[in-house]
């Protein structure tokens, strides 16, 4: 800092003290004319410093501090009262502030954003350790930049409003000028760009990180910035995507109005129009794949009136940008002033805005602008011709619509591409032919087609493969033939010396992908036809038509030829080989299951890629997986052998340090299935897998399967897939875990660096496997070992959790139902000893296991009810206070309904009464629901065959009472099941006669009134009611349920 800087810093400090005095007492501060000049010089100094180049991030932060200070000084000038009358012009004024002071502060705020991107993003490559870290930090930078730009826009707009306020109070000399409006407009334009970048950055980060951190975490890594008003993340919550652009547009329209009122002082500049246009084109609304506007692909123009009103605001974005562009063009055609016509960059940005919009006619509008631009250029009204980059933007607008128009959009891209080539070819003719040519032809002389254009068009075909309309092989083959014709066209141009048309390996891959997709669909259609014939018992007719098979073979043959063309470059260009082409051809053969020996052809393609030996042709894990899967589809022993050899090769490559070659567990499953009739081969394969794992067991358990071929849980899963191998799998798994645990326990040097080598989940997997093998005692033994080992400080992560005990609960109770209560209490005590308080799921498993294992035994249901009622007292001493719930109570009620006890109806009613009492005493989670009442009614009905007539009537009275309570209940209401129960109770519990008919009629009438009459209710009524009663309740003309009034069925769920 030089002497002059120190001088101004002292002056600024002096007057900031006066600002503090002003804010403390709320009065106006009196300053002299000299003071005002010094303040003005401080503003000039701060403006000068704001214009300087930034050399560090600290200087960027200081520029915001300077802007904040300058606004305080401005407010001092606004509110300070002169010590004597000051003359400005001939009119006495009582304020020192002038328009230039406002403009200085506006400039300081404007220049505070200078260097924001440079010093927040310049070192990002060095700071990022991996891709996720990259996206996290980039998102934080984008949020901070957007936050600061929006804050600057707010401050500049505040200054504008202050000038308006003062001018309305009589200080007309402080009226905002054109420069004032344009400065604020430019600020909002910048904010529009940065907010758009931030929102797109959040979208990209969400795709990589799955979950994006909240915006209020902006200053977590930089708490020193949290007090800065320009770093407040709440600013970001105040603005949506379109808001800054709307602000800029409002200011522009206000300028147009001022120009009409006072053209001498206000003249809207081309710069203001360009900035506003820029604010709109930076709003890139992410396309919704253009599939929700119309139900089917179409090329015709869509009527905007048919589009939802909520999308109209989005449609306004490119339309407004285009409107401003043509305003610029009109200004350039004016004779009164010299204005350059819109540049190619402006035309391209507007076309890009249409391209990226959700407008259903965005592609048409983009092409319309291009055509109009060409016409104006030919007429000499534009100084530059449409460039290849602009044509590419139009190509992109059509390519983005390929998913909704899989045939028409790519075809239009091809037509535009060929038009570009015609223009470029005419240039070549002009260069060779020196004869006189037309003026228009000469204008287009420098036009050319670049490689990007070809890739955009082929990308359109690739995008078309994801279209929902591409659901039949006929459409898919149309796409494949179109893209293949384009490839042949490129090859022809390449042979004529057009190097830009040289097909790349990626282009060949797209063509192969289109054919592969068509072959997949055709194979699937053939397979479905075969299945229909076989299910109909006429499979002998023939599995498929010969012409269809020839079609399939023809497509596969074309793919093989495609490989030849790529490998040899047609003899006219250097081959550009891509492994993706081989992968697509390989997948096509692998999916052509109706072709005999298609799996052998797939193997040949795989071997062909390897034999070439090109550095770019290294088969990856996907190629191995596809080839092995194809070989394993047949029963051939040779295919199984070849698949096994490929798997061994893949394992070797992975263990040599190539993580991308890791075989998937799906391949191992398929391999084991292929050897199911050869126990020796299966055993050998499993042993190989386990040996391979054991050699890397420490790395696997520490790195979560990061360096081994298969993980611990995957190995166990494959073991259990083999018949009767659960015991062996559990034994192997337990030996591995205890081996590692003992190594840690004895402080093995390999384990010193990690406290999380073993996890509870590993042991739970083995416990589950022991239980599947029927070895309860081994599972319990392993649980005890977990409890013992978890006391070691390096093994605390294997302490049993809720799942560890939950796995045992069902098996323990099933094996000894007679002592279920004792076993349950023992497990609960062990859980509490491990610091795991039983939860509702624990009791749900206990009660459910007892009820399902009881086989209707009364004692077991009594045990379940006792456990239910003791839940609250059993958990009273723990930190987690539990209370019986509706779900737990309903399990016991259902148990009573299924029991063989003749008095189960009364016992179920008693339990329901206990639930109601508990609910009334404050247990809100035990509120009886419809299922609770229905279970009691079911218990009364299902005991009917064990009861005497008097007991049946007693049960019917219980059901009737329960049903009436259900209707009166505020927490539940009768459903269709309830009415079925009531009618069934009439049938089974009441003797034939008038009483049964009366109750049946009342229940059915009530059911109709509630709109719950389904077919079952109707059939029960038909079965129990006599002809006279039926005539009264349904009428004489009703012959079926469908003829019943609709109102009787209105509340039935579909």
């Amino acid at each position: 800092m030089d002497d002059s800087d120190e001088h101004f810093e002292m002056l600024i400090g002096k007057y900031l003290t006066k600002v503090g005095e002003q804010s403390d007492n709320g009065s106006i501060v009196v300053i002299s004319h000299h003071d005002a000049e010094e303040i003005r010089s401080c503003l000039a100094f701060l403006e000068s410093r704001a214009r300087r180049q930034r050399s560090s991030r600290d200087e960027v932060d200081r520029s915001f501090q300077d802007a904040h200070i300058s606004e305080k000084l401005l407010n001092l000038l606004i509110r300070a009262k002169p010590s004597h009358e000051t003359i400005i012009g001939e009119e006495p004024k009582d304020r020192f502030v002038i328009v230039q002071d406002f403009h200085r502060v506006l400039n300081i705020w404007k220049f505070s954003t200078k260097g924001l991107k440079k010093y927040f993003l310049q070192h990002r490559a060095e700071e990022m350790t991996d891709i996720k870290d990259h996206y996290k930090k980039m998102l934080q930078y984008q949020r901070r930049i957007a936050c600061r730009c929006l804050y600057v826009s707010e401050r500049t707009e505040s200054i504008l409003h202050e000038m308006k306020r003062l001018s309305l109070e009589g200080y007309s000399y402080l009226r905002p000028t054109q420069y004032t409006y344009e400065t604020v407009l430019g600020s909002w334009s910048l904010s529009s760009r940065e907010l758009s970048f931030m929102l797109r950055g959040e979208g990209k980060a969400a795709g990589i990180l799955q979950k994006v951190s909240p915006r209020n975490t902006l200053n977590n890594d930089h708490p020193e910035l949290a007090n800065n008003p320009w770093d407040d993340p709440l600013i970001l919550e105040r603005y949506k995507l379109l808001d800054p652009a709307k602000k800029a547009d409002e200011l522009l329209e206000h300028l147009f109005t001022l120009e009409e009122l006072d053209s001498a002082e206000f003249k809207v500049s081309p710069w203001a129009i360009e900035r506003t246009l820029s604010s709109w084109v930076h709003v890139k609304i992410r396309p919704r794949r253009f599939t929700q506007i119309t139900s089917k692909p179409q090329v015709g123009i869509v009527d905007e009136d048919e589009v939802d009103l909520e999308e109209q605001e989005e449609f306004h974005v490119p339309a407004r940008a285009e409107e401003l562009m043509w305003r610029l063009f009109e200004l350039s055609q004016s004779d009164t002033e010299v204005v350059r016509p819109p540049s190619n960059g402006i035309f391209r940005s507007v076309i890009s805005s249409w391209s990226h919009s959700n407008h259903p006619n965005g592609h048409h509008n983009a092409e319309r602008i291009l055509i109009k631009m060409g016409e104006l250029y030919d007429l000499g009204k534009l100084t530059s011709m449409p460039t290849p980059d602009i044509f590419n933007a139009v190509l992109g607008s059509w390519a983005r619509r390929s998913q909704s128009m899989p045939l028409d959009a790519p075809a239009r891209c091809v037509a535009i591409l060929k038009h570009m080539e015609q223009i470029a070819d005419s240039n070549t003719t002009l260069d060779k032919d020196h004869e006189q040519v037309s003026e228009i032809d000469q204008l287009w002389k420098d036009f050319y087609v670049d490689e990007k254009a070809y890739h955009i068009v082929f990308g359109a075909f690739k995008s078309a493969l994801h279209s929902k309309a591409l659901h039949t092989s006929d459409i898919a083959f149309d796409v494949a033939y179109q893209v293949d014709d384009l490839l042949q066209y490129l090859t022809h141009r390449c042979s004529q010396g057009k190097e830009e048309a040289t097909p790349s390996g990626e282009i060949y891959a797209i063509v192969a992908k289109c054919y592969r997709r068509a072959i997949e669909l055709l194979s699937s259609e053939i397979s479905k036809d075969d299945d229909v014939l076989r299910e109909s018992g006429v499979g002998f007719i023939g599995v498929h038509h010969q012409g269809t098979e020839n079609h399939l073979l023809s497509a596969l043959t074309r793919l093989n030829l495609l490989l030849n063309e790529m490998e040899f470059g047609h003899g006219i260009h250097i081959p550009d080989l891509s492994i993706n082409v081989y992968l697509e051809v390989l997948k096509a053969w692998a999916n052509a299951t109706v072709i005999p020996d298609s799996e052998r052809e797939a193997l040949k393609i795989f071997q062909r890629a390897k034999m070439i030996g090109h550095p770019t042709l290294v088969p990856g894990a996907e190629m191995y997986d596809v080839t092995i899967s194809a070989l394993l589809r047949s029963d051939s022993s040779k295919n199984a052998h070849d698949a096994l050899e490929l798997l061994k090769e893949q394992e070797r490559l992975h263990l040599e340090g190539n993580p991308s070659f890791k075989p998937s567990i799906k391949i191992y499953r398929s391999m084991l299935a292929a050897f199911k009739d050869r126990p020796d081969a299966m055993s050998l394969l499993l042993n190989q897998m386990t040996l391979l794992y054991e050699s890397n067991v420490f790395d696997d358990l520490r790195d979560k399967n990061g360096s081994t071929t298969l993980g611990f849980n995957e190995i166990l899963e494959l073991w259990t897939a083999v018949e009767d191998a659960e015991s062996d799998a559990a034994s192997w798994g337990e030996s591995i875990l205890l081996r590692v645990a003992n190594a840690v326990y004895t402080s093995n040097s390999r384990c010193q660096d990690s406290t999380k080598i073993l996890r509870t989940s590993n042991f739970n997997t083995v416990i589950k496997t022991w239980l599947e093998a029927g070895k309860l005692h081994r599972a319990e033994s392993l649980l005890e070992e977990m409890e013992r080992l978890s006391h070691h400080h390096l093994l605390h992560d294997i302490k049993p959790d809720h799942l560890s005990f939950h796995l045992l609960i069902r098996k323990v109770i099933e094996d000894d139902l007679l002592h279920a209560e004792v076993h349950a209490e023992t497990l609960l005590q062990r859980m509490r000893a491990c610091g795991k308080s039983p939860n509702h799921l624990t009791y749900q498993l206990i009660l459910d296991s007892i009820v399902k294992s009881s086989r209707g035994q009364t004692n077991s249901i009594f045990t379940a009810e006792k456990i239910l009622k003791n839940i609250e007292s059993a958990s009273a001493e723990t930190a987690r206070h539990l209370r019986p719930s509706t779900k737990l109570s309903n399990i016991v009620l259902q148990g009573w309904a299924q029991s063989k006890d003749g008095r189960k109806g009364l016992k179920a009613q008693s339990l329901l009464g206990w639930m109601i009492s508990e609910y009334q005493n404050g247990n809100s989670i035990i509120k009886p629901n419809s299922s609770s009442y229905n279970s009691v009614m079911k218990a009364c009905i299902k005991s009917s065959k064990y009861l005497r007539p008097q007991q049946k009537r007693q049960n019917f009275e219980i059901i009737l009472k329960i049903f009436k309570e259900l209707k009166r209940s505020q927490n539940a209401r009768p459903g269709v099941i309830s009415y079925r129960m009531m009618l069934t109770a009439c049938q089974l519990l009441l003797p034939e006669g008038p009483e049964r008919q009366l109750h049946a009629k009342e229940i059915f009438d009530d059911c109709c009134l509630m709109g719950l009459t389904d077919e079952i209710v109707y059939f029960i009524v038909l079965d129990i009611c006599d002809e006279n009663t039926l005539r009264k309740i349904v009428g004489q003309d009703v012959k079926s349920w469908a003829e019943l009034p609709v109102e009787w069925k209105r509340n039935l769920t579909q």
Side-chain angles (χ1 to χ4, degrees), residues 693-710:
Y693 177 82
E694 289 176 23
S695 65
N696 295 276
V697 60
F698 287 93
D699 291 333
D700 167 68
L701 294 172
R702 180 183 292 115
D703 299 336
K704 297 184 180 179
N705 306 342
S707 60
T708 57
T709 302
L710 284 176

Side-chain angles (χ1 to χ4, degrees), residues 605-829:
I605 300 298
F606 178 85
Q607 293 170 339
R608 179 174 177 175
K610 287 178 60 181
M611 289 175 61
I612 292 178
H614 194 276
T616 63
L617 298 184
V618 179
E622 187 176 6
M623 285 191 72
Y624 277 95
D625 288 354
V626 172
T627 309
I628 293 171
S629 297
L631 290 170
L632 293 176
R633 275 202 300 264
S634 71
D635 296 330
S636 167
S637 59
K638 178 174 176 53
N639 285 348
H641 176 267
D642 290 341
L644 184 57
E645 292 300 314
L646 283 177
L647 181 58
K648 291 178 181 178
E649 183 179 313
Q650 190 177 0
E651 288 175 340
R652 176 180 56 79
L653 288 169
H654 178 241
L655 294 176
E656 286 176 354
N658 300 292
S660 62
F661 280 90
K662 178 178 179 179
S664 66
I665 191 172
K666 180 181 176 182
I667 292 300
Y668 283 100
R669 290 197 199 102
S670 301
M671 190 68 71
L672 289 172
F675 288 102
K676 63 183 177 182
D677 297 327
R678 296 172 55 190
D680 56 333
M682 287 186 68
S683 178
L684 179 63
L685 183 60
L686 282 168
N687 287 332
Q688 288 176 345
M689 288 157 44
T690 52
L691 288 172
L692 187 67
Y693 177 82
E694 289 176 23
S695 65
N696 295 276
V697 60
F698 287 93
D699 291 333
D700 167 68
L701 294 172
R702 180 183 292 115
D703 299 336
K704 297 184 180 179
N705 306 342
S707 60
T708 57
T709 302
L710 284 176
F712 179 79
N713 293 350
E714 293 173 319
I715 292 282
L716 279 182
E717 181 184 337
L718 292 174
W719 269 99
T720 55
V722 181
E723 189 175 356
D724 299 326
E726 290 89 350
S727 184
D728 293 337
S731 180
W732 173 84
E734 183 173 334
S735 67
I736 288 292
L737 294 180
L738 294 181
R739 168 188 154 193
V740 175
N742 288 328
V744 177
Y745 209 84
T746 55
S747 299
N748 188 302
S749 59
R750 297 180 68 187
C751 309
Q752 290 284 343
D753 61 336
S754 176
T755 60
K756 290 188 177 182
I757 294 178
L758 292 176
R759 296 169 180 80
T760 303
S761 60
N762 302 129
F763 283 85
N764 287 345
T765 303
V766 179
I767 289 174
K768 181 182 178 183
T769 309
W770 275 126
L771 293 173
E772 290 172 350
K775 302 292 181 67
L776 175 61
H777 65 286
R778 294 296 300 269
E780 290 183 311
S781 175
L782 185 57
L783 182 64
E784 292 172 0
E785 189 67 12
M786 288 175 67
E787 292 173 321
R788 183 185 70 82
L789 292 172
S790 63
H791 294 298
H792 191 280
H793 71 283
L794 290 178
L795 294 173
H796 62 272
D797 285 313
I798 66 170
K799 193 173 187 178
D801 59 8
H802 282 90
L803 179 59
S804 309
F805 293 98
H806 289 173
L807 288 169
L808 287 175
I809 285 173
R810 190 179 297 277
K811 190 65 177 174
V812 167
I813 292 175
E814 287 176 354
D815 279 13
D816 189 6
L817 185 62
L818 185 62
H819 301 97
E821 185 178 0
V822 176
H823 290 307
E825 184 57 35
T826 301
L827 284 172
L828 293 176
Q829 288 177 1

Side-chain angles (χ1 to χ4, degrees), residues 487-503 569-573:
L487 174 63
Q488 301 308 313
Y489 174 74
L490 257 66
T491 304
H492 174 69
R493 286 187 62 80
C494 183
S495 66
Q496 293 181 331
K498 306 293 184 182
E499 294 183 3
E500 70 277 1
T502 303
H570 295 275
I572 54 178
H573 63 83

Side-chain angles (χ1 to χ4, degrees), residues 314-328:
E314 293 182 5
F315 296 169
H316 172 76
V317 172
R320 179 56 176 165
E322 183 180 351
E323 179 187 351
L324 294 175
M325 179 186 71
W326 292 124
R327 276 196 181 185
L328 273 177

Side-chain angles (χ1 to χ4, degrees), residues 566 577-584 609 616-620 623:
M566 180 186 70
L577 304 181
S578 170
I579 192 64
N580 291 330
V581 185
Y582 294 89
L583 176 60
E584 295 299 338
T616 63
L617 298 184
V618 179
M623 285 191 72

Side-chain angles (χ1 to χ4, degrees), residues 258-273:
L258 292 174
E259 182 180 17
E260 292 177 1
L261 296 173
D262 187 359
S263 59
E265 185 174 347
F266 290 94
K267 184 70 176 179
V268 179
S269 67
W271 182 90
I273 300 175

Side-chain angles (χ1 to χ4, degrees), residues 974-1041:
V976 67
I977 301 296
S978 307
Y979 286 102
R980 291 179 191 172
M981 292 278 191
M982 287 301 302
L983 289 169
T984 303
C986 291
Q987 186 178 25
L988 297 179
L989 300 176
L990 292 177
E992 294 185 11
E995 185 182 12
R996 178 196 283 187
Q997 300 299 313
L998 178 63
H999 280 295
K1001 180 180 182 303
E1002 290 177 352
I1003 294 165
F1004 184 74
D1005 288 343
D1006 190 53
C1007 182
C1008 295
L1009 184 65
M1010 299 299 293
L1012 294 170
T1013 309
D1014 68 351
E1015 284 190 271
I1016 297 178
V1017 168
Y1018 176 70
F1019 288 135
I1020 296 174
V1021 168
L1022 290 180
D1023 195 34
I1024 65 176
C1025 291
D1026 57 31
E1027 187 175 343
N1028 185 44
T1029 305
L1030 281 175
R1031 192 182 307 114
K1032 290 178 180 178
I1033 60 179
V1034 300
Q1036 291 182 337
D1037 301 328
V1038 175
K1039 304 298 182 185
S1040 67
W1041 174 80

